[in-house]
Amino acid sequence: MPLLLLLLAIPVGEVFIFLEVGSVIGTWPTIGLIIGTAVVGGMILRWQGLQTLARARQQLAANRLPVAEMAEGAALALAAVLLLTPGFFTDALGTLLLLPPLRRSLLRRLLARFAPHARHAGSDAGPASAADGGRVIDGEYTVLDETPEPGPPNVRPQGER
């Protein structure tokens, strides 16, 4: 029910804001503002998206999962949807998501709330599970249960006891 109310309230609010702004500055300037915010927001979004992609590639090259970069990519995708949706309220929300400090703070809060055992956005640590406390154990091993060579079972070569 809250989602339905939100889906109804946002368009009604946008229409109200359109009417108010249009009555003050006129119809064409209002339409120009809507198109202008979408174009400028799209350019900023492209630039930040490319930066996030470059950071994700660096993380992968260092054998680390780009968790923070994937979360930022999702936030930037949401910003794109909000900026491309006509309206001043959705443009304001999309613009707020384009501000890196605000976006990272929001992502840290969301991760802390929804994934208490997950690494926070901005963490350099590699993948680790909650069960092992984040430790990485490096070692070598030898397989001891190798399959025997083909031949009759339980037959030893001559001379062995």
Side-chain angles (χ1 to χ4, degrees):
M1 190 65 172
L3 182 60
L4 179 64
L5 289 175
L6 186 65
L7 289 174
L8 290 173
I10 290 176
V12 169
E14 291 289 11
V15 169
F16 176 77
I17 296 170
F18 283 149
L19 293 173
E20 290 297 315
V21 170
S23 69
V24 172
I25 65 172
T27 302
W28 291 110
T30 302
I31 292 171
L33 275 174
I34 293 166
I35 293 170
T37 56
V39 169
V40 171
M43 291 184 333
I44 294 170
L45 181 69
R46 178 185 167 103
W47 176 66
Q48 287 192 10
L50 290 173
Q51 285 183 328
T52 302
L53 182 61
R55 284 194 314 272
R57 286 182 178 168
Q58 288 173 346
Q59 293 291 326
L60 287 172
N63 288 329
R64 290 183 283 210
L65 289 177
V67 176
E69 289 74 16
M70 291 186 329
E72 283 201 35
L76 288 172
L78 178 60
V81 169
L82 291 170
L83 287 168
L84 294 175
T85 302
F88 293 113
F89 180 70
T90 54
D91 285 348
L93 291 177
T95 302
L96 290 176
L97 282 175
L98 289 179
L99 302 173
L102 184 62
R103 179 177 62 239
R104 290 180 185 134
S105 174
L106 177 65
L107 289 173
R108 274 193 295 277
R109 288 181 185 170
L110 285 173
L111 283 176
R113 179 172 179 180
F114 292 111
H117 297 292
R119 300 270 180 198
H120 293 289
S123 172
D124 311 15
S129 70
D132 67 4
R135 294 177 299 181
V136 175
I137 300 173
D138 189 15
E140 296 181 16
Y141 67 94
T142 304
V143 177
L144 297 176
D145 61 342
E146 293 181 20
T147 56
E149 292 183 22
N154 298 324
V155 175
R156 292 186 181 156
Q158 210 169 24
E160 272 189 38
R161 293 202 175 230

